[in-house]
Every structure is written in structure tokens, then in C-alpha cells.
Amino acid sequence: MELNSADAQFVERLSGRVSPDVFRPVEPRYLEEPRDRYHGKAGVLALPRTVEEVSALVGAASEARVPVVPYGGGTGLVAGQLLGEGAAPLVLSLERMNAIREVHVSENVLVAEAGAILSDVQAAAREAGRLFPLSLAAEGSCRIGGNLSTNAGGVNVLRYGNTRALCLGLEAVMPDGRIWHGLTRLRKDNTGYDLRDLLIGAEGTLGVITAAALKLSPQPAAKGTALMMVHSPEAALELLALAQEQVGDGVSAFELMHRNGFDFLSEHLPQLRQPWSEAPEWCVLVELGLSKGSDPVEALSDLFGEAMERDLAYDGLIAQSEAQAVDFWMMREHIPEANRKVGSIVSNDIALPLGSVATFIAKAPEKLAALGDFRLNCFGHLGDGNLHYNIFPAVGRDRSEYENIAVQAKDIIHGLVHEMNGSISAEHGIGRAKVEDLERYGDPVKLAAMRAIKAALDPQGIMNPGAVLRA
């Protein structure tokens, strides 16, 4: 079905239904993304304040057959927030819907509007003596609605699960403009299909999330952080298993990092302190969160001692202060920024069964070598099998020299991941960048079901057309 561009006539249709100041000039930031690889367009930009205004905007878009692109913090890396082709859309930013509506401390629940910045949600939980454990490098600018729409992951998935696991209920506007009042705080509700889980991860293609009831957790009484240098990814995986044997659910994060990431930091972010004169080939960043009466430094010392005895680790640093722990995490969190400054040929966000991670890391360079000379930076959330496997030009060469083989390089990685029963998108989503890859590697029955759901809920195809599924 052909869609129409959002224009002055569309704005006039909304006269009296929303405040005039809802509409704003379209600034360039709404049409760009962090890697500057995709660019969007907009016929109209709207910044509603209430769910009723979102309802009016989406309802009018449905009547006029105007595409709607929900916009969160703009931090997405697969172009889900940008529509570059077809009718000029209504770009719907929820940044003014940023309130923390309620905090129920005894229930460990916080209700936030979709435009709330993740770090503000974390702060509100902290003020209540609780923890909202979702943690991302972009947490100072990404918004809860976008986190939910992409089912964001981050560094604490190992212990707390991804965003889907942290949500009890949603308020959302459906493609016809009706409001779904699903903002339940219930832990159990077995009354039919779970619309919450359908909207989480849908990337705005089935409706607009406007608020969420989020799960909180107790703050760990004591935290400990360590860097441990390991001989190989195999050793890192054995160390992960050892840590879980010794500390159980106390392992909050377990991040794998490669020497090239540290070299990129030294080259482009030299102000960041690195605690070694020569970077290790492989190391892991381990964080523990323990209960009252436990000593995380002692637990990490015991873990490191056992790892040395088993020849899994050969050196290590246990943070002796919060400031030192922050320094360790600053390295990990700034690797993506250093990557952007180097300029990748291909960036891959993949997931693998834990038992296949080391095999993948060994095989991928061999397969890529047939195409040419590359630098590789493999890092990520080893505890949940999520690797960021990024391919860069060789020293002295530019990304533009590899344009003719970039797609082949991506196909090699995705093909190997598929062979190993992994996923071509672990936490970034599909957006528009990976639609063809989803069609190529996705299960056909699943894809058919997804298209049927999309057609049933959004028969006019106005919700973020071209994202996740081909328009």
C-alpha cells in the first residue's frame, strides 16, 4: 500500500488534537546515526508530552497513511531510527516524555516514560536504594523506549538478563492510535498472548512504547573488579566457568578484550589510563556483586589464584579502590569510540553458543585472510556469548580501499555464525541495515509468522516501514 508524506496538510489535520508546540523544525541530529553511515529524512518532527498526544499523532498518521518513525536517543547502530527512502515520515521523538512516574521500593519496580534517559533511570533506582542493572556505553544518551524496542543487552546480561527480562509491563500506542494500557506491575499474568514481549524488540514496527514498568534489584552490598590476562579465548571461557563455580550468581559481568582494542585506545584516546606497559593479547574484565558479609577482593584473589594454578591466567590486577575500578571500565566502555575513530570496514554484533566462541575466534581470521589484509578487534560480553567482531583496514590503508569486499567480509562472518547456530544480531537489532541478512539466515517459518503479525497489527504498514521486515 502506497504511503503519503507527512506535510503541512498532515499538521493541519492535527489542529486542536495536539499542542502547536509539539511540532519542531527538523534538526540534522534526527536524521543521523553515530557511525554516519546512514541518513534519514523527515516530513514532520513531533515531540509529544503525553500518551494522549502520541495517540493523536499516530491516529492521524493512520488516517492519512503517513509513515511513523519512533525516535529514542538516536544511538542505534543499524539504522532503525532512520527512514531514507519512500514517503517522508512523521518522526516521533519521545524525549519530552521523560518522567519517572512511580517508584515502588517494596515491589522493586520503577515506572518510567519511554523518553527517560537510561542513566536517569539508574539514578532514580539508586536514590531508592535499588539497582536498575541495564548498563550500556551509551547510557548517558540512550532512552528507555529505545532500549525496550531493541531489547538492548549490555554488560550485565550475564546476571540480570537483557531488557526484556527487566520489564513487567508496558504502555503503548498501537498503529491505529489506540492506547494499550498494559502498565502492569504483576510478576505473573497468564491471560493469553503476551503483547509486552511482542512489542519489546520490535523496533517500533508494531507500535510506540510510551512507558514501562521496570524491575529493580537490590544493590550488591560489595563490588569487586579485576582485569585478568588470559592465554586465549578458550582459557577465558574456562575462567568464566570457574568464576561461576566459585561465586555463582555473584558474577555480574565478564568481558573479553583483545590487544587491538587497547592499541586503538592508545592511538586515538591516549588520555585514558591503561594499567600496563605492554597490552596483553587477551584479557577479561570481571565484576562481582556480592551480598553483605562477603569480600569481593578476597573472592577475586581466590579466583585468580586458582586460575594461575590451572594455567588459565598469567597476570592480573584487582581494583583496590572504586576509582581504579572505574578506570578499568573506562577502557572497556571506550573501545567502541576508539573503533569509530579508526573506522571499521564491517562491524558485526553476533552471538554464539558459549561452546563455539573459541572455535569461531580461531576460524574467522583464516576465512577473512582469503579476502585481504585486515586488523580485527574482537571484544564483548563473553558471559552471554555476545561478541563485537569488527574488521578494520590494515595499518597505512584506508577504509575506502576495502569498499569492494566489505559485503564479502560481512558474509563470511555471518555465514560462519550461522553454521555455528549463532545469531547475526545479538543486541543491536535488525533495523534497516540487516534486513537482507535476516531474510538470508532467518528461519522461514519464523519470518512468515513475523510478517503475519505485522500485517495483523499494522495493516497499512505505517510503523517504521522497512525496519526489521522489508516494506
Side-chain angles (χ1 to χ4, degrees):
M1 184 180 296
E2 186 175 346
L3 299 178
N4 302 312
S5 291
D7 55 17
Q9 187 176 0
F10 173 73
V11 172
E12 180 62 29
R13 179 188 289 267
L14 283 148
S15 179
R17 297 166 67 179
V18 299
S19 302
D21 71 344
V22 161
F23 300 105
R24 300 290 180 86
V26 182
E27 299 174 34
R29 66 187 176 97
Y30 295 101
L31 309 178
E32 301 166 347
E33 50 87 34
R35 292 174 178 164
D36 197 31
R37 293 188 175 185
Y38 303 93
H39 297 87
K41 60 182 178 179
V44 172
L45 171 66
L47 279 64
R49 289 193 184 91
T50 66
V51 65
E52 289 78 17
E53 287 187 328
V54 176
S55 174
L57 288 159
V58 176
S62 177
E63 295 165 6
R65 298 202 309 278
V66 163
V68 178
V69 176
Y71 190 92
T75 60
L77 299 176
V78 289
Q81 72 274 40
L82 302 174
L83 176 58
E85 298 178 354
L90 164 66
V91 173
L92 186 62
S93 172
L94 300 188
E95 62 197 80
R96 293 205 291 182
M97 292 183 62
N98 56 15
I100 307 297
R101 291 185 185 174
E102 304 168 7
V103 181
H104 301 272
V105 178
S106 63
E107 298 180 20
N108 284 321
V109 176
L110 178 151
V111 179
E113 292 183 336
I117 292 173
L118 174 54
S119 60
D120 291 340
V121 174
Q122 295 168 339
R126 199 160 45 243
E127 288 172 13
R130 296 292 186 267
L131 171 72
F132 183 63
L134 182 64
S135 182
L136 314 170
E139 61 194 29
S141 54
C142 64
R143 299 178 187 273
I144 284 296
N147 298 149
L148 288 159
S149 293
T150 57
N151 190 27
V155 298
N156 290 328
V157 170
L158 173 63
R159 181 170 185 174
Y160 298 99
N162 53 22
T163 312
R164 186 187 304 280
L166 301 175
C167 180
L168 293 171
L170 294 176
E171 173 188 88
V173 174
M174 304 307 289
D176 60 4
R178 289 182 297 169
I179 300 171
W180 173 48
H181 299 284
L183 207 53
T184 178
R185 307 198 306 272
L186 298 175
R187 305 281 170 156
K188 289 184 175 181
D189 181 6
N190 208 2
T191 53
Y193 302 149
D194 197 332
L195 190 54
R196 171 200 60 182
D197 275 352
L198 200 55
L199 290 175
I200 295 172
E203 302 186 46
T205 62
L206 300 178
V208 182
I209 294 171
T210 53
L214 304 169
K215 293 182 188 177
L216 305 180
S217 296
Q219 286 276 1
K223 294 170 69 174
T225 307
L227 286 168
M228 297 189 189
M229 294 62 164
V230 294
H231 296 292
S232 65
E234 292 95 335
L237 286 162
E238 290 185 48
L239 180 57
L240 169 62
L242 178 63
Q244 291 174 321
E245 287 173 10
Q246 292 190 351
V247 191
D249 290 339
V251 183
S252 299
F254 199 93
E255 299 288 300
L256 179 70
M257 295 177 284
H258 183 255
R259 185 193 65 244
N260 279 345
F262 303 125
D263 291 345
F264 291 171
L265 288 171
S266 296
E267 182 180 349
H268 292 281
L269 298 170
Q271 70 275 18
L272 283 180
R273 291 191 292 269
Q274 295 190 38
W276 39 57
S277 56
E278 183 177 349
E281 183 74 10
W282 293 101
C283 80
V284 293
L285 175 59
V286 187
E287 182 166 287
L288 305 183
L290 303 182
S291 57
K292 187 175 181 180
S294 301
D295 184 344
V297 172
E298 181 181 342
L300 286 167
S301 296
D302 290 345
L303 175 63
F304 179 64
E306 184 69 19
M308 289 281 286
E309 284 187 22
R310 298 190 187 188
D311 198 28
L312 303 178
Y314 62 89
D315 201 354
L317 295 161
I318 299 174
Q320 300 300 308
S321 65
E322 185 176 346
Q324 192 173 22
V326 168
D327 284 347
F328 290 175
W329 275 108
M330 287 287 281
M331 284 195 304
R332 166 61 185 87
E333 291 171 354
H334 281 80
I335 288 175
E337 182 180 350
N339 283 347
R340 283 194 292 273
K341 290 180 180 293
V342 175
S344 69
I345 302 162
V346 179
S347 298
N348 300 286
D349 163 47
I350 58 175
L352 294 151
L354 288 184
S356 300
V357 167
T359 303
F360 170 85
I361 291 174
K363 283 187 173 182
E366 297 173 2
K367 288 181 172 291
L368 288 169
L371 283 183
D373 188 16
F374 303 100
R375 283 180 293 172
L376 304 172
N377 188 13
C378 174
F379 68 103
H381 319 304
L382 186 63
D384 54 53
N386 177 194
L387 298 179
H388 300 296
Y389 197 87
N390 299 340
I391 305 171
F392 297 86
V395 175
R397 299 186 65 186
D398 187 78
R399 185 171 70 185
S400 61
E401 299 176 51
Y402 295 82
E403 287 180 356
N404 61 324
I405 58 172
V407 172
Q408 292 171 268
K410 180 198 69 174
D411 287 347
I412 285 173
I413 298 303
H414 285 181
L416 184 56
V417 168
H418 185 64
E419 287 175 20
M420 294 183 171
N421 298 312
S423 170
I424 60 166
S425 179
E427 62 180 358
H428 292 169
I430 295 297
R432 293 176 175 82
K434 293 187 176 182
V435 169
E436 290 185 8
D437 297 296
L438 179 61
E439 292 173 345
R440 180 174 181 179
Y441 299 107
D443 180 88
V445 174
K446 176 183 176 179
L447 289 171
M450 288 170 60
R451 293 186 184 105
I453 291 166
K454 171 72 170 174
L457 295 182
D458 181 22
Q460 298 191 96
I462 65 167
M463 297 306 305
N464 213 6
V468 184
L469 296 171
R470 193 177 299 276

